């Protein structure tokens, strides 16, 4: 296993933050850091900010992502947005299966799989989120749970399609709580995910897939987390809204 063979990806998940005007301003601030970075930098913005973010990011290395997409291409699904709609706009990435979608909007492993397939079939790159609740960690079922989430989410995803998948390990108890997993805890579960990919596909696929850690990653702890062998990047919520903090994390991933 050689971490230097893999591509580091730092993605911001803005969640339900920033109006279009505010989004334009934050993209302008982040762009120079993305251009200097030795890693891929993505901003996953609210749907209504996509057009302005894509325009503001034009000509830079900053990629723009959405935070979800529906599994059908079109139809009677009020309030939803489809993968072809995102693709036609020029969106490159989409987060699928974020724990906030699973917890508050009834997302299941099965719908996460359907959304993942729809995104990949439409040429989007997927940031696929998995992770355990605190009670599940305390029960000692983190490894089985995360392996199962990974397996179900990737059902019928081909090895070629897997090249467009990033997996984000996000312990739910660490998201937006200020409680970060220790670097060793992050490393342990990211390795379990990599081993699961090897069982599902092969060693080459496992060695090359980018696995991120997410959960209160910030300017202070990024260095240690990103220094771990199996942590190839980060999915960052709160700290991605503060350009200076996000820049520090980008720099930590660029080393
Ligand atoms: C997230 O939204 O995926 C996340 C990790 O949030 P935070 O960094 O705020 O914990």
């Amino acid at each position: 296993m050689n971490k230097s063979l893999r591509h580091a990806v730092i993605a911001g998940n803005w969640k339900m933050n920033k109006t279009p005007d505010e989004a334009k301003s934050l993209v302008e601030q982040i762009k120079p850091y993305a251009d200097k970075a030795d890693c891929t930098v993505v901003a996953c913005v609210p749907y209504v900010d996509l057009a302005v973010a894509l325009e503001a990011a034009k000509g830079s290395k900053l990629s723009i992502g959405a935070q979800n997409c529906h599994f059908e291409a079109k139809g009677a699904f009020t309030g939803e947005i489809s993968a072809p709609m995102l693709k036609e706009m020029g969106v490159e990435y989409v987060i699928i299966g974020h724990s906030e979608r699973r917890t508050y909007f009834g997302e299941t492993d099965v719908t996460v799989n359907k959304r993942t397939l729809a995104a990949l079939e439409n040429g989007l790159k997927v940031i696929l989120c998995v992770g355990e609740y605190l009670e599940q960690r305390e029960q000692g079922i983190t490894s089985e749970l995360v392996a199962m989430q990974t397996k179900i989410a990737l059902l019928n995803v081909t090895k070629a399609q897997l090249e467009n998948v990033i997996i984000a390990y996000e312990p739910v108890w660490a998201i937006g709580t200020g409680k970060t997993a220790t670097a060793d805890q992050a490393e342990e579960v990211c390795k379990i995910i990599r081993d699961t990919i090897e069982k599902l596909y092969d060693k080459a696929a496992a060695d090359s897939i980018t696995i991120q850690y997410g959960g209160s990653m910030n300017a202070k702890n990024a260095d240690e987390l990103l220094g771990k062998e199996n942590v190839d990047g980060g999915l960052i919520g709160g700290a991605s809204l503060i350009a200076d903090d996000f820049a520090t994390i980008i720099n930590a991933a660029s080393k």
Side-chain angles (χ1 to χ4, degrees):
M1 191 106 47
N2 184 348
K3 180 170 175 159
S4 64
L5 296 177
R6 294 193 288 275
H7 197 66
V9 180
I10 295 295
N13 173 17
W14 292 9
K15 313 196 190 202
M16 195 174 71
N17 292 292
K18 305 293 175 189
T19 64
D21 279 353
E22 292 167 345
K24 183 172 187 290
S25 157
L26 186 53
V27 167
E28 297 292 356
Q29 291 174 63
I30 294 169
K31 256 190 335 186
Y33 300 117
D35 283 340
K36 279 185 279 172
D38 197 13
C39 64
T40 295
V41 183
V42 187
C44 296
V45 308
Y47 289 134
V48 294
D49 295 343
L50 283 169
V52 82
L54 284 161
E55 184 59 33
K58 245 185 208 157
S60 80
K61 281 168 59 188
L62 178 67
S63 295
I64 301 298
Q67 298 171 11
N68 193 19
C69 73
H70 198 262
F71 40 83
E72 296 293 346
K74 61 181 176 181
F77 300 100
T78 303
E80 290 286 325
I81 300 286
S82 75
M85 291 172 182
L86 296 176
K87 185 66 186 173
E88 189 178 307
M89 286 188 83
V91 171
E92 203 179 333
Y93 288 84
V94 60
I95 298 172
I96 303 279
H98 191 279
S99 67
E100 286 153 15
R101 300 293 320 167
R102 295 179 191 251
T103 304
Y104 306 130
F105 301 101
E107 201 76 62
T108 66
D109 288 329
V110 172
T111 56
V112 167
N113 172 241
K114 289 167 81 170
R115 289 178 202 258
T116 298
L117 288 169
L120 293 171
E121 279 157 14
N122 284 283
L124 295 167
K125 293 176 185 154
V126 170
I127 300 175
L128 169 66
C129 301
V130 297
E132 81 287 1
Y133 287 97
L134 185 59
E135 307 77 65
Q136 294 167 327
R137 174 163 282 270
E138 287 170 349
Q139 260 183 290
I141 59 170
T142 300
S143 53
E144 290 100 316
L145 186 99
V146 167
M148 185 187 78
Q149 288 176 332
T150 305
K151 284 182 188 170
I152 299 175
L154 293 176
L155 186 68
N156 295 326
V157 171
T158 66
K159 196 177 162 197
Q161 286 176 320
L162 190 72
E163 287 174 21
N164 287 319
V165 177
I166 292 167
I167 300 181
Y169 166 54
E170 297 212 306
V172 183
W173 48 272
I175 297 178
T177 58
K179 280 188 212 154
T180 317
T182 64
D184 286 342
Q185 286 172 326
E187 166 66 13
E188 184 188 9
V189 184
C190 287
K191 172 83 168 70
I192 288 164
I193 294 169
R194 201 174 301 287
D195 291 345
T196 305
I197 295 296
E198 183 169 348
K199 281 184 205 133
L200 285 177
Y201 297 89
D202 57 23
K203 182 154 173 17
D207 278 351
S208 59
I209 192 163
T210 295
I211 301 180
Q212 299 173 318
Y213 167 77
S216 300
M217 188 185 277
N218 58 41
K220 290 203 178 89
N221 59 28
D223 240 344
E224 196 188 350
L225 287 160
L226 294 167
K228 288 291 176 183
E229 171 66 28
N230 284 288
V231 180
D232 308 314
L235 181 55
I236 295 110
S240 72
L241 299 170
I242 304 158
D244 286 350
D245 287 3
F246 197 50
T248 305
I249 299 170
I250 293 168
N251 286 340
S254 300
K255 285 179 187 161

